[in-house]
Every structure is written in structure tokens, then in C-alpha cells.
Amino acid sequence: MTQKKKNNIIIGSLCAVVLLMAVGYAAFSSILNIKGTTNISSNWNILITNVESKNIVGAATNAEDPTWEALTATFKTNLVSPGDSIEYDITVENRGNLNALLEKITLTESNNPAIKFTSSGLEEGSELNAGDSKVLTVKVEYLASVTSQPENTEGTFTVTLDYSQKEGSGVVSQTAAEKLIATATDSGDGLYADEYETGRYVYKGANPANYITFNNEPWRIISVESDGTLKLIKKGSIGNKQWGDWGAADNNWGKPVTLNEYLNNDYYNSLDASSKELIQTHSWNVGPVVDEAIYGATDSGFANQLAHEASKVWSGNIALINPSDFIKANTNASQCGSMKLHFDNKEVCKTTNYMLPTDRAWTISPFDSNNYRAFIFSSEGTIGESEIDSQFEVHPVLYLKSDITISGNGTGTDPYTIN
């Protein structure tokens, strides 16, 4: 049985306007607060996703560009003369998996004969279904009827949107990929669109909310793939092991090498049965990476590195990260956006990358110019290479199937769990 979900969404504004015929200033802020909790396990996630100014009349201007976060929108306006006005479109989006109904709109305004606030675009009884968005328009106006400087230069305006779960609507199916992509950002720690692969998203930063429980252990989500699968890396090593056999002098992961055989046999079989059912057999880029990517006099380019990684493909259940995964996990692209930059700026790069191992750990990528060597990543923030029979940390990587659903917030204390 579905428990009805109900929340009040409050958009409040405080406007302080200096109403001068020559120059004026208004501070206007809009706050959307989602409050209330229930025992329902569904994702209730209604939030502001954009604010834009429009229909500017007279000498009205934005004192600053409108800004917004998930629950807050802020705009500052210059009003100069009677008749000046400006409108703000506030996009309210349902990124959860419950359909919502706008039961009531309550407007509260202080009396100031010089300032008029109005809202439009949303009506009581309108639906905001999962995945949809609607626009609330707020207009700030210096009334044209004002003929003298008003004594009162303060005005407040509050819009309360009372949303509840739409009657008769259950949980709308939402895959893990869809839920995570809805959290994508372009600043700070979090999930970013992959600029090199359309439809793919990667986690970046020192500690993004990408924790997930798999096989009753903590893992972290590397990426949301374009096919809807999730790429995971185990948090913590399963021990120090060698990558390959020195005697074979062959660093071709797909041959397979020693570590490949161990991960896809002994380690895979150690997972519980329900966890193995969640793993998607996947294609992995196992092409050799050139040493110039790190040690060259000039940066050979990250796109070139990606092309080398993709020059050979292997299919399997469990493997390791590519060096490019380690690079992309860093938010500091200007200093850490390629293997060479990462190597040269290791002291900086290691502070904004959640994927650092305890010491040194293997990647899946072999070394192009020496069959006895493969690439590693380290706690120092570097990417290097070493003999394939060396003993380094092993952090298993796998893909989860695209049809899974998850709950939780992805933090260390409330990791995503697979439903």
C-alpha cells in the first residue's frame, strides 16, 4: 500500500527597493523549501532547476545574474522609475518517481502601494508528474501610478505551493541511471556529463555522493554509462597481487593475464549469488597506453590517450579502471586533465580525486613500449607504470545491469542500496 506523500513548497521573497527617479536598487530573494517526511521509500524530489529573467520594461535591470540551488533562487533587481518591471521564470521540476498535485497556492504580500508582486503560470489542481517541469513566473513592478517618492521602500511577497502525491498514483518506475543523472551538476563534487562521450556521466571530486552497497560491502560509482549500466569500483583493495607473468612477457589483458583470470574466476565466484546476478558482462577498453602520455616533453592530449585505450576491447565480468577513469575523477581539469598534467601536478591533483588508493594500485591498461609493464595509479596522485609481476593493490571494477533501481543518498553514512 502506498502512503500518500505531501509537502509544502514555500517560495518566499523579500524585496527592499529604493524608489528613486534617477537610480534605484531592489534585493529580491525566492526560497523554495521542501519539508516533511514519511515512511514511504519512494523518491520525493521537487526542486528549482533554473531561474531566468525576461520581459524587462523601462530601465529595470538585474543588479546581479539570477542564481539558484536545489531549494533556493535569488535575484537582485534595479528599479529606476515608475512603470519599470521585470519577470522571473522559476522552473520547478519533479525529479522523483511520484506524480505530484498542486493542491493550493497561497499568496501573502505586505501592503506597499508603490510595489506590486504577481505570480502566474501555475494553477491549483495542476499536475507535476515524475520527470516533468513547470514554470512559476514572478513579476516585480514599480507601479506607473506612483507620482512621488513613497515613504515605505520595503515590500515582501511569499508564494506557498502545497504539493501532495497525486491520488491513485503509485511509484513511477525510475532506473538507477535515471535517478543519478537527475543529480548531475557542473561544479563541486558530484556527477558530471562526460565531455568525451555523449550520454555518459562520471563522478568527480574529493568526496562525491557516489557510495553504493554491493555484495554487502562499500563500493563507489565511477560512472553512469550511456547504455544505462553503472560502473563501480570497490572501496578498498582485495589485497596486493601481480598483474601478469613476467616469464610470459605479455601484457595483453585479454590473453588473459594472471590478474584477469583471478578476478573472473576466484574473485567472481566469491561473490554471493544475488550479487553475481546484478553484474552485467561488459566491453572493456584494454588497449596499450603510450609512455608519452606521462613522460613526453609535451602533453599528447587526453583524447589521444582515450583512443589508445579503446584500440583493443575485451569482454568480461570484472576488471580494473583505465588510467582515464582516474583522470576523469578529478574536478581540476586545468591541472589534472591528462596523464601528464596529473603526473606533473600530483600534489594538487590528489586533493580533488576520491579514487586515490592506499598506496599503489593496478589499472587495466598495458604499457605500449614494453611488454613487461602495465599502468598503476597511486595515493600520491600520480599515474605511472611498473613490471607486471609486481605486487600492488587490486580494486575490482564491474558494471551493474541497467534495469536496477536504488534508494539512499549516496553518502558514506547513507549509501545507495540496490532495491
Side-chain angles (χ1 to χ4, degrees):
M1 176 178 291
T2 303
Q3 179 178 350
K4 189 175 182 182
K5 190 109 177 178
K6 184 174 182 179
N7 286 328
N8 287 336
I9 299 173
I10 300 174
I11 300 177
S13 63
L14 172 62
C15 185
V17 187
V18 179
L19 299 174
L20 302 176
M21 297 302 292
V23 64
Y25 176 78
F28 182 88
S29 64
S30 175
I31 302 174
L32 183 151
N33 294 316
I34 300 175
K35 301 179 180 179
T37 58
T38 70
N39 294 324
I40 197 167
S41 60
S42 306
N43 181 28
W44 181 259
N45 189 19
I46 300 176
L47 69 164
I48 290 176
T49 57
N50 192 40
V51 180
E52 292 183 349
S53 57
K54 68 174 188 178
N55 294 340
I56 299 173
V57 176
T61 59
N62 285 312
E64 297 177 5
D65 290 335
T67 61
W68 69 94
E69 297 177 357
L71 303 180
T72 304
T74 303
F75 9 94
K76 295 181 179 180
T77 307
N78 287 324
L79 298 177
V80 178
S81 305
D84 289 356
S85 67
I86 191 168
E87 296 180 1
Y88 295 94
D89 278 349
I90 307 167
T91 301
V92 182
E93 187 170 344
N94 186 347
R95 288 187 172 178
N97 59 357
L98 289 172
N99 294 334
L101 184 72
L102 182 53
E103 291 188 345
K104 188 177 181 180
I105 302 177
T106 303
L107 307 179
T108 305
E109 182 180 351
S110 64
N111 285 325
N112 188 326
I115 308 169
K116 183 179 181 180
F117 300 97
T118 53
S119 69
S120 61
L122 290 178
E123 298 180 354
E124 292 181 358
S126 62
E127 299 175 3
L128 186 60
N129 293 332
D132 290 346
S133 62
K134 298 288 180 68
V135 174
L136 173 69
T137 300
V138 174
K139 182 177 182 179
V140 185
E141 183 178 3
Y142 190 163
L143 288 177
S145 59
V146 176
T147 58
S148 61
Q149 171 68 44
E151 295 182 2
N152 182 10
T153 61
E154 300 292 328
T156 60
F157 178 71
T158 302
V159 185
T160 302
L161 306 180
D162 186 0
Y163 275 103
S164 66
Q165 182 183 342
K166 182 181 175 183
E167 193 68 34
S169 71
V171 176
V172 178
S173 178
Q174 184 185 46
T175 65
E178 291 169 338
K179 176 174 180 173
L180 295 177
I181 290 172
T183 69
T185 185
D186 58 7
S187 63
D189 292 359
L191 186 67
Y192 287 68
D194 188 337
E195 63 181 299
Y196 296 95
E197 184 177 336
T198 302
R200 186 175 190 258
Y201 292 79
V202 295
Y203 277 100
K204 297 176 179 287
N207 191 30
N210 63 342
Y211 289 87
I212 187 169
T213 300
F214 174 78
N215 196 48
N216 296 314
E217 299 170 317
W219 291 60
R220 301 193 81 163
I221 304 169
I222 297 173
S223 58
V224 179
E225 300 296 313
S226 57
D227 62 3
T229 58
L230 306 186
K231 190 175 185 179
L232 270 56
I233 183 171
K234 190 178 186 303
K235 186 179 182 296
S237 173
I238 60 172
N240 285 23
K241 301 183 182 299
Q242 67 183 48
W243 198 90
D245 182 3
W246 180 269
D250 192 343
N251 60 359
N252 180 2
W253 177 269
K255 188 173 180 177
V257 296
T258 306
L259 190 50
N260 181 340
E261 291 183 318
Y262 173 79
L263 289 174
N264 287 279
N265 290 286
D266 293 356
Y267 179 73
Y268 176 79
N269 291 328
S270 74
L271 302 175
D272 61 58
S274 59
S275 295
K276 285 192 282 189
E277 287 293 321
L278 298 171
I279 297 175
Q280 175 67 58
T281 301
H282 211 273
S283 296
W284 305 72
N285 292 336
V286 296
V289 178
V290 296
D291 58 354
E292 182 188 353
I294 298 178
Y295 307 117
T298 59
D299 189 349
S300 60
F302 193 49
N304 188 42
Q305 177 191 330
L306 294 172
H308 280 285
E309 291 180 355
S311 63
K312 289 184 180 180
V313 177
W314 165 82
S315 180
N317 290 322
I318 302 179
L320 304 167
I321 65 166
N322 288 106
S324 61
D325 290 318
F326 189 62
I327 297 297
K328 289 180 179 181
N330 201 292
T331 50
N332 191 342
S334 63
Q335 290 183 280
C336 311
S338 73
M339 288 176 66
K340 179 172 173 54
L341 288 173
H342 219 290
F343 188 86
D344 290 345
N345 300 294
K346 61 183 181 180
E347 293 301 322
V348 174
C349 301
K350 70 180 181 180
T351 65
T352 53
N353 191 328
Y354 72 90
M355 211 181 286
L356 295 177
T358 303
D359 189 5
R360 288 174 289 178
W362 288 116
T363 77
I364 197 175
S365 298
F367 193 52
D368 179 64
S369 58
N370 189 321
N371 289 345
Y372 292 92
R373 304 178 79 83
F375 280 93
I376 61 173
F377 62 108
S378 80
S379 60
E380 295 179 345
T382 60
I383 293 178
E385 33 78 25
S386 186
E387 294 85 357
I388 57 177
D389 65 342
S390 299
Q391 300 272 334
F392 293 133
E393 291 179 26
V394 176
H395 296 253
V397 177
L398 53 84
Y399 292 85
L400 294 183
K401 292 179 177 178
S402 60
D403 60 353
I404 67 167
T405 61
I406 56 176
S407 56
N409 294 319
T411 63
T413 55
D414 183 22
Y416 292 118
T417 58
I418 303 169
N419 298 329

Coordinates of all heavy atoms in Angstrom, one line a residue, residues 293-369:
A293 N 52.3 9.8 -23.0 CA 51.1 10.4 -22.2 C 51.6 10.9 -20.9 O 50.9 11.8 -20.3 CB 50.0 9.4 -22.1
I294 N 52.6 10.3 -20.3 CA 53.1 10.8 -19.0 C 54.4 11.5 -19.1 O 54.6 12.6 -18.6 CB 53.3 9.6 -18.0 CG1 52.0 8.9 -17.8 CG2 53.9 10.1 -16.7 CD1 52.1 7.7 -16.8
Y295 N 55.4 10.9 -19.8 CA 56.7 11.4 -19.8 C 57.1 12.3 -21.0 O 58.3 12.8 -21.0 CB 57.7 10.2 -19.7 CG 57.4 9.3 -18.6 CD1 57.0 8.0 -18.9 CD2 57.4 9.7 -17.3 CE1 56.7 7.1 -17.9 CE2 57.2 8.8 -16.2 CZ 56.8 7.5 -16.5 OH 56.5 6.6 -15.5
G296 N 56.2 12.5 -21.9 CA 56.6 13.3 -23.1 C 56.9 14.7 -22.8 O 56.4 15.3 -21.8
A297 N 57.7 15.4 -23.6 CA 58.0 16.8 -23.4 C 56.8 17.7 -23.5 O 56.7 18.7 -22.9 CB 59.1 17.2 -24.4
T298 N 55.8 17.2 -24.3 CA 54.6 18.0 -24.4 C 53.4 17.0 -24.2 O 53.6 15.8 -24.3 CB 54.4 18.6 -25.8 OG1 54.4 17.5 -26.8 CG2 55.5 19.6 -26.1
D299 N 52.3 17.6 -23.8 CA 51.1 16.7 -23.5 C 50.6 16.2 -24.8 O 50.2 17.0 -25.7 CB 50.1 17.6 -22.8 CG 48.9 16.8 -22.2 OD1 48.8 15.6 -22.6 OD2 48.1 17.3 -21.5
S300 N 50.5 14.9 -24.9 CA 50.0 14.3 -26.2 C 48.5 14.4 -26.4 O 47.9 14.1 -27.4 CB 50.4 12.8 -26.3 OG 49.8 12.1 -25.2
G301 N 47.8 14.9 -25.3 CA 46.3 15.1 -25.4 C 45.5 13.9 -24.9 O 45.8 12.8 -25.1
F302 N 44.5 14.3 -24.1 CA 43.7 13.3 -23.4 C 42.9 12.5 -24.4 O 42.7 11.3 -24.3 CB 42.8 13.9 -22.4 CG 42.2 13.0 -21.4 CD1 42.9 12.0 -20.8 CD2 40.8 13.0 -21.2 CE1 42.4 11.1 -19.9 CE2 40.2 12.1 -20.3 CZ 41.0 11.2 -19.7
A303 N 42.4 13.1 -25.5 CA 41.6 12.4 -26.5 C 42.5 11.3 -27.1 O 42.0 10.2 -27.5 CB 41.1 13.4 -27.5
N304 N 43.8 11.6 -27.3 CA 44.7 10.7 -27.9 C 44.8 9.4 -27.0 O 44.9 8.3 -27.4 CB 46.0 11.3 -28.2 CG 47.0 10.4 -28.9 OD1 46.6 9.7 -29.9 ND2 48.2 10.4 -28.5
Q305 N 44.9 9.7 -25.7 CA 45.0 8.6 -24.7 C 43.8 7.7 -24.7 O 43.9 6.5 -24.7 CB 45.2 9.2 -23.3 CG 45.2 8.1 -22.2 CD 45.1 8.6 -20.8 OE1 45.6 9.7 -20.5 NE2 44.6 7.8 -19.9
L306 N 42.6 8.4 -24.8 CA 41.3 7.6 -24.9 C 41.3 6.7 -26.1 O 40.8 5.6 -26.1 CB 40.1 8.6 -24.8 CG 39.9 9.3 -23.6 CD1 38.8 10.4 -23.8 CD2 39.6 8.4 -22.4
A307 N 41.8 7.2 -27.2 CA 41.8 6.5 -28.5 C 42.7 5.2 -28.3 O 42.4 4.1 -28.8 CB 42.3 7.3 -29.6
H308 N 43.9 5.4 -27.6 CA 44.8 4.3 -27.4 C 44.1 3.2 -26.5 O 44.2 2.0 -26.8 CB 46.1 4.7 -26.7 CG 47.1 5.3 -27.7 ND1 47.8 4.5 -28.6 CD2 47.4 6.6 -28.0 CE1 48.6 5.3 -29.3 NE2 48.3 6.6 -28.9
E309 N 43.4 3.7 -25.4 CA 42.7 2.7 -24.6 C 41.7 1.9 -25.3 O 41.5 0.7 -25.1 CB 42.1 3.5 -23.4 CG 43.1 4.1 -22.4 CD 42.4 4.8 -21.3 OE1 41.1 4.9 -21.3 OE2 43.1 5.2 -20.3
A310 N 41.0 2.6 -26.2 CA 39.9 2.0 -27.0 C 40.3 1.2 -28.2 O 39.5 0.6 -28.9 CB 38.9 3.0 -27.4
S311 N 41.7 1.1 -28.4 CA 42.2 0.4 -29.6 C 42.0 -1.1 -29.5 O 42.1 -1.8 -30.6 CB 43.6 0.8 -29.9 OG 44.4 0.3 -28.8
K312 N 41.8 -1.7 -28.3 CA 41.5 -3.1 -28.1 C 40.4 -3.2 -27.2 O 40.3 -2.4 -26.2 CB 42.7 -3.8 -27.6 CG 43.9 -4.0 -28.6 CD 45.0 -4.9 -28.0 CE 46.1 -5.1 -29.0 NZ 47.2 -5.9 -28.4
V313 N 39.5 -4.2 -27.3 CA 38.4 -4.4 -26.5 C 38.3 -5.8 -26.0 O 38.6 -6.7 -26.8 CB 37.0 -4.0 -27.2 CG1 35.8 -4.3 -26.3 CG2 37.1 -2.5 -27.7
W314 N 38.0 -6.0 -24.7 CA 37.8 -7.3 -24.1 C 36.5 -7.3 -23.4 O 36.0 -6.3 -22.9 CB 38.9 -7.5 -23.1 CG 38.7 -8.7 -22.2 CD1 38.9 -10.0 -22.4 CD2 38.2 -8.6 -20.8 NE1 38.6 -10.8 -21.3 CE2 38.2 -9.9 -20.3 CE3 37.8 -7.5 -20.0 CZ2 37.7 -10.2 -19.0 CZ3 37.4 -7.8 -18.7 CH2 37.3 -9.1 -18.2
S315 N 35.8 -8.5 -23.4 CA 34.5 -8.6 -22.8 C 34.6 -9.5 -21.6 O 35.2 -10.6 -21.7 CB 33.5 -9.2 -23.8 OG 32.2 -9.4 -23.2
G316 N 34.1 -9.1 -20.4 CA 34.2 -9.9 -19.2 C 33.3 -9.3 -18.1 O 32.6 -8.3 -18.3
N317 N 33.4 -9.9 -16.9 CA 32.6 -9.5 -15.8 C 33.3 -8.5 -14.9 O 32.7 -7.6 -14.4 CB 32.2 -10.7 -15.0 CG 31.2 -11.6 -15.8 OD1 30.3 -11.1 -16.4 ND2 31.3 -12.9 -15.6
I318 N 34.6 -8.8 -14.6 CA 35.3 -8.0 -13.6 C 36.6 -7.6 -14.1 O 37.3 -8.4 -14.7 CB 35.4 -8.7 -12.3 CG1 34.0 -9.1 -11.7 CG2 36.1 -7.9 -11.2 CD1 34.0 -9.8 -10.4
A319 N 37.0 -6.4 -13.9 CA 38.4 -5.9 -14.4 C 38.9 -4.8 -13.4 O 38.6 -4.9 -12.2 CB 38.3 -5.5 -15.8
L320 N 39.5 -3.8 -14.0 CA 40.1 -2.7 -13.3 C 39.8 -1.4 -14.0 O 39.3 -1.4 -15.1 CB 41.6 -2.9 -13.2 CG 42.1 -4.2 -12.6 CD1 43.6 -4.3 -12.9 CD2 41.9 -4.3 -11.1
I321 N 40.1 -0.3 -13.4 CA 39.9 1.0 -14.0 C 40.9 1.2 -15.1 O 42.0 0.6 -15.1 CB 40.0 2.2 -13.0 CG1 41.5 2.3 -12.5 CG2 39.0 2.1 -11.9 CD1 41.7 3.6 -11.8
N322 N 40.6 2.1 -16.1 CA 41.6 2.6 -17.0 C 42.2 3.8 -16.4 O 41.7 4.5 -15.5 CB 40.9 3.0 -18.3 CG 40.4 1.9 -19.2 OD1 39.2 1.6 -19.2 ND2 41.3 1.2 -19.8
P323 N 43.4 4.2 -16.8 CA 44.0 5.4 -16.4 C 43.1 6.6 -16.6 O 43.0 7.6 -15.8 CB 45.3 5.6 -17.2 CG 45.7 4.2 -17.5 CD 44.4 3.4 -17.7
S324 N 42.3 6.6 -17.7 CA 41.4 7.7 -17.9 C 40.3 7.8 -16.9 O 39.8 9.0 -16.6 CB 40.7 7.5 -19.3 OG 40.0 6.4 -19.4
D325 N 39.9 6.7 -16.3 CA 38.9 6.8 -15.2 C 39.5 7.6 -14.0 O 38.8 8.4 -13.4 CB 38.5 5.4 -14.7 CG 37.7 4.6 -15.7 OD1 36.8 5.2 -16.3 OD2 37.9 3.4 -15.8
F326 N 40.7 7.4 -13.7 CA 41.4 8.1 -12.6 C 41.5 9.6 -12.9 O 41.3 10.5 -12.1 CB 42.8 7.5 -12.4 CG 43.5 8.0 -11.1 CD1 42.9 7.8 -9.9 CD2 44.7 8.7 -11.2 CE1 43.6 8.2 -8.7 CE2 45.3 9.1 -10.1 CZ 44.8 8.9 -8.8
I327 N 41.8 9.9 -14.2 CA 41.9 11.3 -14.6 C 40.6 12.0 -14.5 O 40.5 13.1 -14.0 CB 42.5 11.4 -16.1 CG1 43.9 10.8 -16.2 CG2 42.4 12.8 -16.6 CD1 44.9 11.6 -15.4
K328 N 39.5 11.3 -15.1 CA 38.2 12.0 -15.1 C 37.6 12.2 -13.7 O 36.7 13.0 -13.6 CB 37.3 11.1 -16.0 CG 37.6 11.2 -17.5 CD 36.6 10.3 -18.3 CE 36.9 10.4 -19.7 NZ 35.9 9.6 -20.5
A329 N 38.1 11.4 -12.7 CA 37.6 11.6 -11.4 C 38.0 12.9 -10.7 O 37.5 13.2 -9.6 CB 38.0 10.4 -10.5
N330 N 38.8 13.6 -11.3 CA 39.4 14.9 -10.7 C 38.6 16.1 -11.2 O 38.3 16.2 -12.4 CB 40.8 15.0 -11.1 CG 41.6 16.0 -10.2 OD1 41.3 17.1 -10.2 ND2 42.5 15.4 -9.4
T331 N 38.2 17.0 -10.3 CA 37.5 18.2 -10.7 C 38.4 19.3 -11.3 O 37.9 20.2 -11.9 CB 36.7 18.8 -9.5 OG1 37.7 18.9 -8.4 CG2 35.6 17.9 -9.1
N332 N 39.7 19.1 -11.1 CA 40.6 20.2 -11.6 C 41.1 19.9 -13.0 O 42.3 19.4 -13.1 CB 41.8 20.3 -10.6 CG 42.6 21.5 -10.8 OD1 42.6 22.1 -11.8 ND2 43.4 21.9 -9.8
A333 N 40.3 20.1 -14.0 CA 40.7 19.7 -15.3 C 41.9 20.5 -15.9 O 42.7 20.0 -16.6 CB 39.5 19.9 -16.3
S334 N 42.0 21.8 -15.5 CA 43.1 22.6 -16.0 C 44.5 22.1 -15.6 O 45.5 22.3 -16.3 CB 42.9 24.1 -15.5 OG 43.0 24.2 -14.1
Q335 N 44.6 21.5 -14.4 CA 45.9 21.0 -13.9 C 46.0 19.5 -13.9 O 47.1 18.9 -13.8 CB 46.1 21.5 -12.5 CG 46.4 23.0 -12.4 CD 46.7 23.4 -11.0 OE1 45.8 23.6 -10.2 NE2 48.0 23.6 -10.7
C336 N 44.8 18.8 -14.0 CA 44.8 17.3 -13.9 C 44.1 16.6 -15.0 O 43.7 15.5 -14.8 CB 44.2 17.0 -12.5 SG 44.9 17.9 -11.1
G337 N 43.9 17.3 -16.1 CA 43.0 16.8 -17.2 C 43.7 15.9 -18.2 O 43.1 15.5 -19.2
S338 N 44.9 15.4 -17.9 CA 45.5 14.4 -18.7 C 46.5 13.7 -17.8 O 46.8 14.1 -16.7 CB 46.2 15.0 -19.9 OG 47.4 15.7 -19.5
M339 N 47.1 12.6 -18.4 CA 48.1 11.8 -17.5 C 49.3 12.6 -17.2 O 49.8 12.6 -16.1 CB 48.4 10.5 -18.3 CG 47.3 9.5 -18.3 SD 47.7 8.0 -19.2 CE 49.0 7.3 -18.2
K340 N 49.8 13.4 -18.2 CA 51.0 14.2 -17.9 C 50.7 15.3 -16.9 O 51.5 15.5 -16.0 CB 51.5 14.8 -19.3 CG 52.7 15.7 -19.0 CD 53.3 16.1 -20.4 CE 54.5 17.1 -20.2 NZ 55.5 16.7 -19.2
L341 N 49.6 16.0 -17.1 CA 49.2 17.1 -16.2 C 49.0 16.5 -14.8 O 49.5 17.1 -13.8 CB 47.9 17.8 -16.6 CG 48.0 18.7 -17.8 CD1 46.7 19.2 -18.3 CD2 49.0 19.9 -17.6
H342 N 48.4 15.3 -14.7 CA 48.2 14.7 -13.4 C 49.5 14.4 -12.7 O 49.7 14.6 -11.5 CB 47.4 13.4 -13.6 CG 46.3 13.2 -12.5 ND1 46.7 12.8 -11.2 CD2 45.0 13.2 -12.5 CE1 45.6 12.7 -10.5 NE2 44.6 12.9 -11.3
F343 N 50.4 13.8 -13.5 CA 51.8 13.5 -13.0 C 52.5 14.7 -12.6 O 53.1 14.7 -11.5 CB 52.5 12.7 -14.1 CG 53.8 12.2 -13.7 CD1 53.9 10.9 -13.1 CD2 55.0 12.9 -13.8 CE1 55.1 10.4 -12.6 CE2 56.2 12.3 -13.4 CZ 56.3 11.1 -12.8
D344 N 52.5 15.8 -13.4 CA 53.2 17.0 -13.1 C 52.7 17.8 -11.9 O 53.4 18.5 -11.2 CB 53.3 17.9 -14.3 CG 54.1 17.4 -15.4 OD1 54.9 16.4 -15.2 OD2 54.0 17.9 -16.5
N345 N 51.4 17.6 -11.6 CA 50.7 18.4 -10.6 C 50.1 17.5 -9.5 O 49.1 17.8 -9.0 CB 49.6 19.3 -11.2 CG 50.1 20.2 -12.2 OD1 50.8 21.2 -11.9 ND2 49.7 20.0 -13.5
K346 N 50.8 16.5 -9.2 CA 50.3 15.4 -8.3 C 49.9 16.0 -6.9 O 48.9 15.5 -6.3 CB 51.3 14.3 -8.1 CG 52.6 14.7 -7.5 CD 53.6 13.6 -7.4 CE 54.9 14.0 -6.8 NZ 55.9 12.9 -6.7
E347 N 50.6 17.0 -6.4 CA 50.3 17.5 -5.1 C 48.9 18.2 -5.1 O 48.2 18.2 -4.1 CB 51.3 18.5 -4.6 CG 52.7 17.8 -4.3 CD 52.6 16.7 -3.3 OE1 51.8 16.9 -2.3 OE2 53.3 15.7 -3.4
V348 N 48.5 18.8 -6.2 CA 47.2 19.4 -6.3 C 46.2 18.3 -6.6 O 45.1 18.3 -6.0 CB 47.2 20.5 -7.5 CG1 45.8 21.0 -7.7 CG2 48.2 21.6 -7.1
C349 N 46.5 17.5 -7.6 CA 45.5 16.5 -8.1 C 45.0 15.5 -7.1 O 43.9 15.1 -7.1 CB 46.1 15.8 -9.3 SG 46.6 16.9 -10.7
K350 N 45.9 15.2 -6.1 CA 45.5 14.2 -5.1 C 44.5 14.7 -4.1 O 43.9 14.0 -3.4 CB 46.7 13.6 -4.4 CG 47.4 14.6 -3.5 CD 48.6 13.9 -2.8 CE 49.3 14.8 -1.8 NZ 50.5 14.1 -1.2
T351 N 44.3 16.0 -4.1 CA 43.3 16.6 -3.2 C 41.9 16.7 -3.7 O 41.0 17.0 -2.9 CB 43.8 18.0 -2.8 OG1 43.7 18.9 -3.9 CG2 45.2 18.0 -2.2
T352 N 41.7 16.4 -5.0 CA 40.4 16.6 -5.6 C 40.0 15.3 -6.4 O 39.4 15.4 -7.4 CB 40.3 17.8 -6.5 OG1 41.3 17.8 -7.4 CG2 40.4 19.1 -5.7
N353 N 40.4 14.2 -5.8 CA 40.1 12.9 -6.5 C 39.8 11.8 -5.5 O 40.6 11.4 -4.7 CB 41.3 12.5 -7.3 CG 41.0 11.3 -8.3 OD1 40.2 10.5 -8.0 ND2 41.7 11.3 -9.4
Y354 N 38.5 11.3 -5.5 CA 38.1 10.4 -4.5 C 38.7 9.0 -4.7 O 38.6 8.1 -3.8 CB 36.5 10.2 -4.6 CG 36.0 9.5 -5.8 CD1 35.8 8.1 -5.8 CD2 35.7 10.2 -7.0 CE1 35.4 7.5 -6.9 CE2 35.3 9.6 -8.1 CZ 35.1 8.2 -8.1 OH 34.7 7.5 -9.2
M355 N 39.3 8.7 -5.9 CA 39.7 7.4 -6.2 C 41.1 7.0 -5.8 O 41.6 5.9 -6.1 CB 39.6 7.2 -7.8 CG 39.3 5.8 -8.2 SD 39.2 5.7 -10.1 CE 37.6 6.5 -10.4
L356 N 41.7 7.8 -5.0 CA 43.1 7.5 -4.5 C 43.1 6.2 -3.8 O 42.3 5.9 -2.9 CB 43.6 8.6 -3.6 CG 43.8 10.0 -4.2 CD1 44.3 11.0 -3.1 CD2 44.8 10.0 -5.3
P357 N 44.1 5.3 -4.1 CA 44.2 4.1 -3.3 C 45.0 4.3 -2.0 O 45.5 5.5 -1.8 CB 45.0 3.2 -4.3 CG 45.9 4.2 -5.1 CD 45.0 5.4 -5.2
T358 N 45.2 3.3 -1.2 CA 46.0 3.4 0.0 C 47.5 3.6 -0.4 O 48.2 4.4 0.3 CB 45.9 2.2 0.9 OG1 44.5 2.0 1.2 CG2 46.7 2.4 2.2
D359 N 48.0 2.9 -1.4 CA 49.4 3.0 -1.8 C 49.5 3.1 -3.3 O 49.2 4.2 -3.9 CB 50.2 1.9 -1.3 CG 51.7 2.0 -1.5 OD1 52.1 3.1 -1.9 OD2 52.4 1.1 -1.2
R360 N 49.8 2.0 -4.0 CA 49.8 1.9 -5.4 C 48.9 0.8 -5.9 O 48.8 -0.2 -5.2 CB 51.2 1.7 -6.0 CG 52.1 2.9 -5.8 CD 53.5 2.6 -6.2 NE 54.2 1.8 -5.2 CZ 55.4 1.4 -5.3 NH1 56.2 1.6 -6.4 NH2 56.0 0.6 -4.4
A361 N 48.2 1.0 -7.0 CA 47.2 0.0 -7.4 C 47.2 -0.1 -8.9 O 47.5 0.8 -9.7 CB 45.8 0.5 -7.0
W362 N 46.8 -1.3 -9.4 CA 46.8 -1.6 -10.8 C 45.7 -1.0 -11.6 O 44.6 -0.9 -11.1 CB 46.8 -3.1 -11.1 CG 48.0 -3.9 -10.7 CD1 48.2 -4.8 -9.7 CD2 49.3 -3.8 -11.4 NE1 49.4 -5.3 -9.7 CE2 50.2 -4.7 -10.7 CE3 49.8 -3.0 -12.4 CZ2 51.5 -4.9 -11.1 CZ3 51.1 -3.2 -12.8 CH2 52.0 -4.1 -12.1
T363 N 45.9 -0.6 -12.8 CA 44.9 -0.3 -13.8 C 44.8 -1.5 -14.8 O 45.7 -2.4 -14.8 CB 45.1 1.0 -14.6 OG1 46.1 0.8 -15.6 CG2 45.6 2.1 -13.6
I364 N 43.9 -1.4 -15.7 CA 43.7 -2.5 -16.7 C 44.7 -2.2 -17.9 O 44.9 -3.2 -18.7 CB 42.3 -2.5 -17.2 CG1 42.0 -3.9 -17.9 CG2 41.9 -1.4 -18.1 CD1 40.5 -4.0 -18.3
S365 N 45.3 -1.1 -18.1 CA 46.0 -0.7 -19.3 C 47.4 -1.1 -19.3 O 48.2 -0.8 -18.4 CB 45.9 0.8 -19.5 OG 44.5 1.2 -19.6
P366 N 47.8 -1.8 -20.4 CA 49.2 -2.2 -20.5 C 50.1 -1.0 -21.1 O 49.5 0.0 -21.6 CB 49.2 -3.3 -21.6 CG 48.0 -3.0 -22.4 CD 47.0 -2.4 -21.4
F367 N 51.4 -1.2 -20.9 CA 52.3 -0.2 -21.4 C 52.7 -0.4 -22.9 O 52.9 -1.6 -23.2 CB 53.6 -0.2 -20.5 CG 54.5 0.9 -20.6 CD1 54.1 2.2 -20.5 CD2 55.9 0.7 -20.9 CE1 55.0 3.3 -20.6 CE2 56.8 1.7 -21.0 CZ 56.3 3.0 -20.9
D368 N 52.6 0.6 -23.7 CA 52.7 0.4 -25.1 C 54.1 -0.1 -25.6 O 54.2 -1.0 -26.4 CB 52.4 1.7 -25.8 CG 52.5 1.6 -27.4 OD1 51.8 0.8 -27.9 OD2 53.4 2.3 -27.9
S369 N 55.2 0.4 -25.0 CA 56.5 0.2 -25.5 C 57.3 -0.9 -24.7 O 58.5 -1.1 -25.0 CB 57.3 1.5 -25.5 OG 57.4 2.0 -24.2

